[in-house]
Amino acid sequence: MKIAVFGAGAWGTALAQNAAHHLTHQVTLWARDAELIEKIRLESCNSRYLADIALSPQLHFSSENPQQLALQSDLIILATPMAALRSMLVAIGEQKAPIVWLCKGFENTPAHKQSVTPGLLGHEVFEQVHAQSSDMKYGVLSGPSFAKEVALSQPTALVAASPHKHVTDLLVQAFHNHSLRVYANPDMIGVEVGGAVKNVLAIATGLCDGLNLGLNARAALITRGLAEMTRLGVALGADRDTFMGLSGLGDLVLTATGSLSRNRQVGLLLAQGQSLEQAVNSLGHVAEGVACAHQVLQRSQHLGIEMPITKAVVAVLQGQVSAEKAVAMLMGRDPSGESN
């Protein structure tokens, strides 16, 4: 199978590296930055995003016309941040091969478009870009996964979601191997919501840990955060059971507790008194929760869904309240039933 991975960040590189171990696959890693690609090719390592991990000699590299590379592929993987999904879909144009994205988030809605539905999910962006191309197939690959561990072929489980069974079958064929288990799920909305909202909740957990509030508080945040995630997902048409799976509970637990989580790290740094700019700049990578927290809140408010933890995170990110004040806001809410 010919697989094109567009985006040579940590996750795109890691997945391409993992898939390249299949001798039956021809995997090409693409980046817009020709200098980066040449450096990766010469060093056999992506030192910018995955330092000290030697890349497979089976892996190919390109910075050429993305549409031409996509046309030559059996499976197209978009590994760009959510902010670049729309432009990447435009760049590769109409394709016969399925298009699958890895990004986890809600698209930022420009201020002049606030009257329309705020914070679109990946499949909604796709349907806007390719509204006239009903034959095109798409999907998402998500789940609890740190790029470094996938690149090192450490055991990982992912979920492939699409309304098209052919796409989930193809993703299993492409990526299921001795170190990577891929489970199929037709609930694309649920998988996308889980992948996006868990990043925001991981920031909240980082704030909690950074303030040394204890393990009880962390458990409460994760559990109540899962309830928020589920409420939003169900309102958008997702299956409630999806949030007890890999892209819901699984990804939330990993991102909220793992030391490799960039979103959790943002929360930790904010709790230590750093500004948002300082915290983000220190990462060297994109923390999707920072980019999409406001969009998650806007979409929930658009639907009339209450998400108090998300609201508190947004208030901290926007500098409206301190981390301590945000905790006080959450603890000071009126009592309610657990199902609410």
Side-chain angles (χ1 to χ4, degrees):
M1 185 188 308
K2 291 184 178 179
I3 304 171
V5 179
F6 292 88
W11 188 212
T13 303
L15 193 64
Q17 159 84 341
N18 192 285
H21 291 308
H22 286 259
L23 298 181
T24 55
H25 295 335
Q26 179 181 313
V27 185
T28 301
L29 180 63
W30 178 95
R32 194 182 312 277
D33 187 341
E35 290 186 6
L36 172 63
I37 285 295
E38 186 59 23
K39 190 172 188 288
I40 294 173
R41 180 186 288 113
L42 291 174
E43 297 178 352
S44 295
C45 172
N46 190 339
S47 57
R48 184 183 299 181
Y49 296 107
L50 282 176
D52 304 323
I53 295 180
L55 297 180
S56 168
Q58 306 298 325
L59 189 55
H60 301 264
F61 305 98
S62 173
S63 59
E64 303 303 320
N65 186 313
Q67 189 171 31
Q68 289 303 312
L69 176 60
L71 285 169
Q72 299 163 12
S73 304
D74 302 309
L75 178 61
I76 300 162
I77 304 294
L78 304 186
T80 61
M82 188 67 192
L85 177 61
R86 183 180 295 269
S87 61
M88 198 70 243
L89 287 169
V90 171
I92 63 174
E94 188 170 345
Q95 298 290 335
K96 292 183 179 179
I99 300 173
V100 175
W101 45 91
L102 310 179
C103 49
K104 302 174 179 181
F106 286 70
E107 185 184 50
N108 181 40
T109 305
H112 67 280
K113 292 186 177 181
Q114 291 301 318
S115 60
V116 302
T117 301
L120 298 182
L121 288 164
H123 75 278
E124 294 171 318
V125 175
F126 181 94
E127 289 167 358
Q128 280 191 355
V129 173
H130 293 296
Q132 307 304 317
S133 306
S134 59
D135 292 336
M136 291 179 66
K137 303 294 189 291
Y138 57 86
V140 63
L141 188 64
S142 191
S145 49
F146 287 139
K148 183 177 180 180
E149 294 185 4
V150 171
L152 291 171
S153 294
Q154 292 183 311
T156 302
L158 298 177
V159 57
S162 172
H164 316 289
K165 187 177 183 300
H166 166 66
V167 177
T168 55
D169 289 346
L170 196 64
L171 286 168
V172 172
Q173 181 186 346
F175 298 113
H176 192 96
N177 59 54
H178 71 282
S179 68
L180 195 62
R181 292 190 61 81
V182 181
Y183 295 84
N185 188 337
D187 181 17
M188 188 165 180
I189 295 174
V191 170
E192 286 190 310
V193 170
V197 178
K198 60 90 184 181
N199 285 326
V200 182
L201 300 174
I203 296 174
T205 311
L207 290 167
C208 171
D209 291 345
L211 293 172
N212 296 313
L213 298 182
L215 299 179
N216 293 349
R218 179 201 282 181
L221 268 176
I222 291 174
T223 309
R224 296 309 301 164
L226 180 62
E228 284 193 16
M229 175 193 296
T230 304
R231 283 199 298 270
L232 177 60
V234 170
L236 287 167
D239 183 339
R240 183 177 297 273
D241 290 344
T242 297
F243 299 101
M244 296 305 296
L246 289 167
S247 62
L249 179 61
D251 210 357
L252 174 58
V253 169
L254 178 73
T255 313
T257 64
S259 59
L260 294 176
S261 168
R262 296 191 292 272
N263 292 286
R264 177 175 179 269
Q265 187 67 20
V266 168
L268 287 170
L269 294 173
L270 290 173
Q272 293 168 13
Q274 290 195 20
S275 69
L276 179 59
E277 183 179 9
Q278 289 172 326
V280 171
N281 289 342
S282 70
L283 297 178
H285 298 257
V286 173
E288 289 278 26
V290 174
C292 84
H294 186 242
Q295 303 307 313
V296 172
L297 182 60
Q298 280 197 318
R299 191 69 184 265
S300 68
Q301 292 174 335
H302 183 76
L303 293 166
I305 303 299
E306 189 176 16
M307 299 185 72
I309 298 174
T310 299
K311 186 176 182 179
V313 169
V314 171
V316 173
L317 292 178
Q318 294 183 345
Q320 297 170 355
V321 299
S322 65
E324 293 86 352
K325 178 65 175 176
V327 172
M329 287 165 49
L330 289 171
M331 295 303 294
R333 297 178 69 243
D334 291 338
S336 66
E338 188 178 16
S339 61
N340 296 326

